[in-house]
Amino acid sequence: MKLTTAKIVKYLAIAVIAVLLSTLWPRKKKAVLPIHIRDYYEIVSSDTLNAVTEYNSISFYADSDSISGFHYELVKAYARDKGLTAVITPEMSFEKRVQGLNKGKYDIIAYGIPITNEWKDSLLLTVPITQSKQILVQRKFESDTTYIKSQIQLADKILHVEKGSPSILRIHNLEEEIADTIYIQEIDKYGPEQIISMVAHGDIDYAVVDESIAQASIDSFPQLDITTGISFTQLYGWGINKHSPILLDSLNNWLTNFMQTKEYLKLKSKYFKN
């Protein structure tokens, strides 16, 4: 059948109208589930504690057919003493750990968060569990122009951190202290151990990570230097949603007592060099 010019115009007009209708026609919105944050008594009623941590050689890692890690074992000990089943999820992104806590997916961020006023504004933080500091990871360069010996030399340098890392706040404060710009590159897909490896293999020049993680990795990378501090030694605790104050009280009471036991001292010496 031969199409006339009039028919072609007619069909084109119908097609245009169909596209416009499909674009402008109101679509049914997907139902958004309400955010529900659990506190201690609801957690006890469910018999399950949901915690999130980071997959690394300190916090949580798979060893053969078993799982180990300082924060992993500490959460398990708390759950054991409270008659709960601990469901512990490893999540590489610090930002996603915080998002999961805020959405009620997790009850606890069982990972070291610096106990600072900035973090206290957005999270409830437990009593100090560990202490550490943020350090610079770099290769042992021969050139004095690239090797960083002091914080003042960080001006105009690019520092790589895991996305949403607590060290970002410290780097911004450091910018103010040296009165110069420090560039921050957040890495979304990798945790601190992978970022350390990237420095070792020359993919990036500088990274900022937690000292305990760097110390656990340094034996594998003798070409790296981790002697330059980015922050002072800080106290670290777990993160709790601001709507879970009773859970915070329970954790604080338990941690205060448990950290006086031989079980805790043995656990700490197992994972930390210092």
Side-chain angles (χ1 to χ4, degrees):
M1 181 178 67
K2 187 175 180 180
L3 295 176
T4 64
T5 302
K7 286 184 177 180
I8 292 173
V9 171
K10 177 181 177 182
Y11 292 148
L12 286 174
I14 291 172
V16 170
I17 292 171
V19 171
L20 289 173
L21 285 174
S22 65
T23 304
L24 300 176
W25 194 266
R27 297 180 182 180
K28 190 175 181 179
K29 295 183 178 179
K30 293 182 179 179
V32 179
L33 296 176
I35 294 174
H36 179 67
I37 308 300
R38 305 194 306 169
D39 207 346
Y40 179 74
Y41 294 117
E42 188 171 355
I43 293 169
V44 171
S45 296
S46 73
D47 295 325
T48 302
L49 176 72
N50 298 316
V52 63
T53 189
E54 181 176 272
Y55 191 97
N56 61 53
S57 57
I58 295 292
S59 300
F60 178 110
Y61 62 91
D63 184 13
S64 186
D65 59 349
S66 63
I67 298 175
S68 303
F70 174 76
H71 293 291
Y72 171 80
E73 293 193 42
L74 197 57
V75 172
K76 295 282 282 187
Y78 171 76
R80 175 201 66 202
D81 291 350
K82 298 298 180 180
L84 300 170
T85 299
V87 178
I88 305 170
T89 303
E91 170 56 64
M92 297 304 294
S93 168
F94 185 87
E95 185 177 54
K96 289 181 180 178
R97 292 196 287 271
V98 174
Q99 289 174 353
L101 184 76
N102 290 335
K103 292 180 180 179
K105 183 178 181 180
Y106 309 119
D107 303 311
I108 303 172
I109 298 177
Y111 182 76
I113 301 174
I115 301 176
T116 62
N117 289 331
E118 290 91 345
W119 282 109
K120 286 180 179 179
D121 287 340
S122 56
L123 298 172
L124 295 176
L125 297 172
T126 65
V127 294
I129 299 173
T130 60
Q131 62 180 25
S132 187
K133 63 181 178 182
Q134 301 296 315
I135 55 95
L136 181 73
V137 180
Q138 60 181 327
R139 292 183 298 281
K140 295 175 180 177
F141 294 114
E142 296 181 1
S143 170
D144 288 339
T145 60
T146 51
Y147 182 79
I148 303 298
K149 296 179 181 178
S150 66
Q151 295 176 353
I152 196 71
Q153 293 175 286
L154 292 171
D156 294 326
K157 297 295 190 296
I158 301 174
L159 305 185
H160 294 78
V161 301
E162 64 176 315
K163 189 171 180 62
S165 168
S167 63
I168 294 172
L169 291 173
R170 172 56 194 156
I171 296 171
H172 285 316
N173 290 336
L174 191 56
E175 281 186 302
E176 298 294 325
E177 294 170 15
I178 69 173
D180 215 326
T181 301
I182 301 173
Y183 298 99
I184 300 173
Q185 181 67 54
E186 296 183 64
I187 298 179
D188 189 18
K189 296 181 180 179
Y190 301 121
E193 288 183 329
Q194 289 76 23
I195 297 173
I196 290 171
S197 178
M198 291 173 70
V199 178
H201 292 99
D203 299 314
I204 57 177
D205 289 331
Y206 308 106
V208 177
V209 303
D210 183 84
E211 184 181 38
S212 61
I213 301 296
Q215 287 177 337
S217 304
I218 196 62
D219 290 342
S220 301
F221 302 112
Q223 70 270 45
L224 293 182
D225 178 275
I226 58 171
T227 59
T228 302
I230 297 298
S231 70
F232 297 109
T233 298
Q234 296 174 296
L235 298 174
Y236 289 71
W238 286 349
I240 313 296
N241 192 286
K242 286 218 165 188
H243 295 287
S244 305
I246 303 174
L247 174 60
L248 177 69
D249 288 342
S250 173
L251 280 167
N252 282 343
N253 290 332
W254 181 84
L255 285 166
T256 299
N257 293 320
F258 186 75
M259 287 190 292
Q260 306 302 316
T261 65
K262 291 181 179 180
E263 182 181 355
Y264 174 77
L265 295 177
K266 183 178 179 180
L267 177 63
K268 191 173 181 180
S269 64
K270 178 180 176 182
Y271 293 102
F272 295 98
K273 289 186 177 182
N274 296 324

